[in-house]
Amino acid sequence: MEDFQEIDVNSHALSWVGKIHYDFGFITQSAFKKNGLDLTKEEWSVLKRLHVNDGQFMNDLAYITHRDKVSMMRVVNSMVKKDYIYRRPDGQDKRVNRIFLTAYGKQIVEKVLPIMYELIPEVQDSLTKDEREVLIHALKKVKARMAEIAEDKGLI
């Protein structure tokens, strides 16, 4: 068996990315609740994708929101019950559904956008413009490397 060097999670960049992602999700969820919105961060992820490109296939939404099909089905079912979205069979293939925003779902998006437009810059305001650019550049490099590793190891 190989010996593995123990990793100090506080000096591990990906650990910090995970912590930031978790904390931002918590802050986002709290902001939704404070503003009287019955919305999870997972549901927001779907709403914002549909806001940009309405009528997507559920499998495509699962892929771009990094969810498996079962998890995506639960999120979609919850959102249908809340009247944020609706399913409609595809015109070409009736076996698959496209997902669309309802009028109410569009109203929710319009309520959330100002919250996010305020929150995101506020979270980043501890960084200078140059620091943000360096951070984004470094994260893009890490993401590209992860894609290479995943492809090389047959993980995707």
Side-chain angles (χ1 to χ4, degrees), residues 26-101:
F26 180 79
I27 290 170
T28 300
Q29 193 81 50
S30 297
F32 295 160
K33 190 173 184 176
K34 180 180 177 190
N35 284 277
L37 296 165
D38 179 21
L39 184 68
T40 67
K41 63 184 192 298
E42 293 81 11
E43 291 169 343
W44 169 241
S45 181
V46 172
L47 287 178
K48 71 182 175 185
R49 298 303 194 276
L50 293 173
H51 176 69
V52 171
N53 185 18
D54 207 9
Q56 294 188 49
F57 292 109
M58 190 160 60
N59 285 349
D60 293 346
L61 283 171
Y63 177 77
I64 62 176
T65 60
H66 306 286
R67 302 195 112 16
D68 61 57
K69 291 177 186 179
V70 173
S71 172
M72 188 76 242
M73 180 66 80
R74 279 194 291 267
V75 171
V76 166
N77 287 342
S78 171
M79 295 176 73
V80 167
K81 286 179 187 168
K82 293 179 180 181
D83 193 35
Y84 295 164
I85 60 173
Y86 65 94
R87 299 178 185 96
R88 185 168 65 203
D90 180 54
Q92 305 294 326
D93 185 349
K94 302 291 185 205
R95 296 171 298 169
V96 295
N97 288 313
R98 288 187 175 270
I99 309 297
F100 294 88
L101 290 170

Side-chain angles (χ1 to χ4, degrees), residues 122-134:
E122 192 173 3
V123 166
Q124 298 182 100
D125 75 0
S126 64
L127 300 173
T128 66
K129 183 176 186 275
D130 289 343
E131 287 172 328
R132 280 193 304 273
E133 288 174 6
V134 167

Side-chain angles (χ1 to χ4, degrees), residues 4-12 15:
F4 291 99
Q5 183 178 358
E6 193 163 326
I7 298 172
D8 174 8
V9 295
N10 288 317
S11 64
H12 174 327
S15 177

Side-chain angles (χ1 to χ4, degrees), residues 95-129:
R95 296 171 298 169
V96 295
N97 288 313
R98 288 187 175 270
I99 309 297
F100 294 88
L101 290 170
T102 63
Y104 182 58
K106 291 175 185 176
Q107 289 175 9
I108 296 298
V109 169
E110 293 305 317
K111 288 179 181 177
V112 172
L113 284 174
I115 295 167
M116 297 308 288
Y117 288 152
E118 179 182 333
L119 192 56
I120 291 169
E122 192 173 3
V123 166
Q124 298 182 100
D125 75 0
S126 64
L127 300 173
T128 66
K129 183 176 186 275

